[in-house]
Amino acid sequence: MAVKAPWLGFLFLVSLWGLSSPALLLRRLREHIQKSQESSSLHLGIGLSQGPAAVPKQGWLEQPLDPFNASDRRTFLQRYWVNDQHRAGQDAPVFLHIGGEGSLGPGSVMAGHPAALAPALGALVISLEHRFYGLSMPAGGLDMAQLHYLSSRHALADVASALQALSRLLNVSSSSPWICFGGSYAGSLATWTRLKFPHLVFAAVASSAPLRAVVDFAAYNRVVARSLTRAAIGGSQQCLAAASAAFAEVERLLRSGPASQAVLREELGACGSLHLTEDQAELLGALQALVGGAVQYDGQAGAPLSVRQLCGLLLGNGGNGSHSTPYLGLRRAAQIVLRSMGQKCLSFSRAETVAQLRNTAPQVSGVGDRQWLYQTCTEFGFYVTCESPQCPFTQLPALPFQLELCEQVFGISAASVAQAVAQTNSYYGGQTPGASQVLFVNGDTDPWHVLSVTQNLGPSEPVLLIPSASHCLDMAPTRPSDSPSLCLGRQRIFQQLQVWLKEIKKS
């Protein structure tokens, strides 16, 4: 149970200076917020004592590298965490927090959902880190031969195997109901675990789960634009117009020659020359991700910028009394994000991005950029674009530019990506997965909610759409500043679990 991963000494450590591809920048932003929230939770009194009764407890499971080939004896060590301080007996419910495309720390069982629900329901709380992320890294690096064993289907097999192994290790009764929790991609995994293993998993809570894979995720920026106009979170039509004007000015400067490009490079934190169109697209993509990130993580502890703060900057309300322009506001926003995340650059050259993504050494720091890119190329797509006239930011980077990364890094063609996305939707059912006893939770300002389930599919597939809530906000630790709608949303999650658990007791 408490073995150590023997290969940890060989890991290649990567700085948080990061990459500029829009999706990767958003992943780094999410990791930054999660670490900030976990750190805050620990400071509020969650102890990490190392004694025999330490809570939380860290453990390792030996899992098959290829669960679909019984003759393959290779294994890897998968990390999990346990919080048993609220467990009400051997047949108490078990809350399994499924990990996604990043590291899972002790906060995964100590703060936020499902930990907040555990005391009232007497639940045992466990979290399971996703293969190939965090410290759950198979030996052998991240070359293509290894990445063949990285997929959502492998992850689901890990969950099923872990559930049975942990039942034995932790003396869980066969009558204990297991409920899966997950946010974002992990929310999809929670749904699919209930779909594929209904005999093992009793129910699931899927927060901000993008259940429909899509190559061209143009709807992302449409939601971002709409959210920038919402007065409830500090937006306005003027803010949206200012964002559009700021991007127009960046594009004008990019077209104005080497001198203007050098100024942009200095002011916006671009590392490398902006002479090449592909490097300009990297910068524009990073700026889109900056604005998108303010919307996606609006109001969350650890987020560098809220929508209200971003709009204040774009509209010249920076607080120094001097006249400002939307471009200067965007420049200040970029500086705030860089400083908050400890990053050196907002964007790199395209060549450097490709070179870093081709690095096959296992990475502890960072969210697992190469791994997640591989999953988007082979399963999900999710490429955020801004090509339609309704997108107010910029017409770059276009979809072909993003799909080229799959070809340049992995040799995977655009046609193969499209085929893989279609297969994913066929295998899991897209936005009509057909899994019973799954609660789909979303916030209506979150750009990802358009790929989730936001309308009831039936009495056993309820939905909860929280007004003015951002990505996975219901899973974050509670704060005094939480809105009434967020508090009510969390209460409804608790009530739904109560209903389901009462039903299983009756039966």
Side-chain angles (χ1 to χ4, degrees):
M1 179 174 169
V3 295
K4 287 195 173 182
W7 43 266
L8 291 183
F10 301 100
L11 284 172
F12 177 71
L13 299 181
V14 180
S15 79
L16 278 178
W17 292 353
L19 302 173
S20 55
S21 178
L24 301 180
L25 192 66
L26 286 170
R27 299 286 159 189
R28 290 293 173 90
L29 181 59
R30 180 184 180 190
E31 183 186 54
H32 169 77
I33 291 169
Q34 286 178 332
K35 286 186 175 179
S36 175
Q37 291 177 355
E38 180 171 313
S39 176
S40 298
S41 298
L42 298 180
H43 285 312
L44 288 174
I46 295 173
L48 293 181
S49 62
Q50 299 301 312
V55 173
K57 300 165 186 170
Q58 180 182 244
W60 301 87
L61 293 173
E62 187 172 3
Q63 295 273 41
L65 180 64
D66 186 356
F68 309 117
N69 180 4
S71 63
D72 189 338
R73 298 297 184 183
R74 291 176 296 172
T75 61
F76 75 100
L77 295 176
Q78 186 169 28
R79 180 166 62 164
Y80 66 91
W81 296 91
V82 179
N83 174 3
D84 58 5
Q85 62 182 342
H86 305 296
R87 185 181 187 181
Q90 189 180 353
D91 59 352
V94 183
F95 293 167
L96 180 63
H97 181 174
I98 298 177
E101 71 283 22
S103 176
L104 273 192
S108 60
V109 293
M110 299 300 291
H113 274 154
L117 297 168
L121 297 173
L124 170 65
V125 184
I126 305 171
S127 68
L128 183 70
E129 194 168 62
H130 196 297
R131 61 165 56 204
F132 283 91
Y133 293 101
L135 299 186
S136 299
M137 193 76 64
L142 298 172
D143 59 25
M144 286 293 286
Q146 283 283 100
L147 292 178
H148 175 72
Y149 303 104
L150 170 61
S151 74
S152 59
R153 300 184 197 193
H154 287 89
L156 295 183
D158 290 340
V159 173
S161 172
L163 188 149
Q164 296 170 85
L166 290 169
S167 291
R168 294 189 298 270
L169 280 168
L170 303 175
N171 199 26
V172 174
S173 166
S174 59
S175 61
S176 289
W178 287 72
I179 300 175
C180 289
F181 291 76
S184 197
Y185 162 54
S188 299
L189 291 176
T191 303
W192 298 333
T193 302
R194 171 62 186 163
L195 174 67
K196 300 298 183 180
F197 303 104
H199 60 296
L200 297 177
V201 174
F202 169 69
V205 179
S207 177
S208 301
L211 291 160
R212 177 167 63 91
V214 60
V215 177
D216 186 349
F217 192 13
Y220 183 96
N221 276 320
R222 288 199 291 271
V223 178
V224 169
R226 186 166 69 240
S227 296
L228 287 177
T229 69
R230 297 182 62 135
I233 57 174
S236 64
Q237 287 291 343
Q238 293 82 1
C239 175
L240 179 60
S244 183
F247 275 87
E249 177 64 10
V250 173
E251 289 195 90
R252 186 191 71 79
L253 291 169
L254 285 172
R255 292 193 301 266
S256 298
S260 296
Q261 291 166 2
V263 171
L264 269 180
R265 176 188 171 190
E266 179 68 27
E267 291 182 342
L268 295 178
C271 289
S273 169
L274 293 175
H275 300 328
L276 298 176
T277 302
E278 61 185 20
D279 297 338
Q280 296 176 13
E282 286 283 303
L283 174 61
L284 288 167
L287 290 170
Q288 278 185 43
L290 182 151
V291 175
V295 170
Q296 182 168 320
Y297 295 107
D298 178 63
Q300 300 203 26
L305 282 175
S306 66
V307 169
R308 191 176 304 277
Q309 291 166 326
L310 175 63
C311 287
L313 292 169
L314 292 172
L315 293 170
N317 305 327
N320 57 10
S322 60
H323 175 72
S324 185
T325 66
Y327 167 72
L328 287 175
L330 185 63
R331 174 185 165 188
R332 291 192 187 108
Q335 293 168 344
I336 289 170
V337 169
L338 286 173
R339 185 167 60 248
S340 174
M341 295 177 65
Q343 290 201 184
K344 177 184 176 185
C345 309
L346 188 67
S347 75
F348 289 93
S349 71
R350 176 67 164 206
E352 189 165 345
T353 295
V354 171
Q356 290 191 42
L357 286 167
R358 284 176 174 168
N359 183 356
T360 61
Q363 301 172 4
V364 167
S365 181
V367 55
D369 299 315
R370 177 175 167 85
Q371 299 96 296
W372 180 245
L373 177 65
Y374 178 80
Q375 288 197 261
T376 68
C377 297
T378 56
E379 293 191 86
F380 305 121
F382 296 152
Y383 303 115
V384 175
T385 62
C386 196
E387 298 176 63
S388 70
Q390 292 80 26
C391 185
F393 306 123
T394 178
Q395 299 304 299
L396 289 172
L399 180 61
F401 175 80
Q402 301 200 52
L403 287 169
E404 281 173 9
L405 269 184
C406 296
E407 179 76 54
Q408 292 170 324
V409 178
F410 302 116
I412 298 172
S413 68
S416 295
V417 176
Q419 184 179 20
V421 166
Q423 289 174 344
T424 296
N425 289 328
S426 175
Y427 184 70
Y428 292 120
Q431 287 169 295
T432 54
S436 62
Q437 290 188 182
V438 179
L439 173 60
F440 300 100
V441 185
N442 286 279
D444 66 1
T445 65
D446 175 23
W448 293 91
H449 84 273
V450 295
L451 300 181
S452 188
V453 177
T454 55
Q455 296 191 359
N456 281 350
L457 299 176
S460 66
E461 298 170 90
V463 303
L464 174 58
L465 189 62
I466 303 176
S468 304
S470 56
H471 192 63
C472 300
L473 184 59
D474 57 288
M475 295 190 74
T478 57
R479 294 195 293 167
S481 59
D482 288 341
S483 68
S485 62
L486 176 59
C487 295
L488 180 61
R490 288 184 174 133
Q491 185 179 345
R492 285 187 59 190
I493 295 171
F494 174 66
Q495 291 169 342
Q496 182 62 73
L497 291 177
Q498 277 186 312
V499 168
W500 283 338
L501 291 170
K502 284 178 182 176
E503 287 175 358
I504 198 173
K505 282 185 178 180
K506 287 178 183 176
S507 63

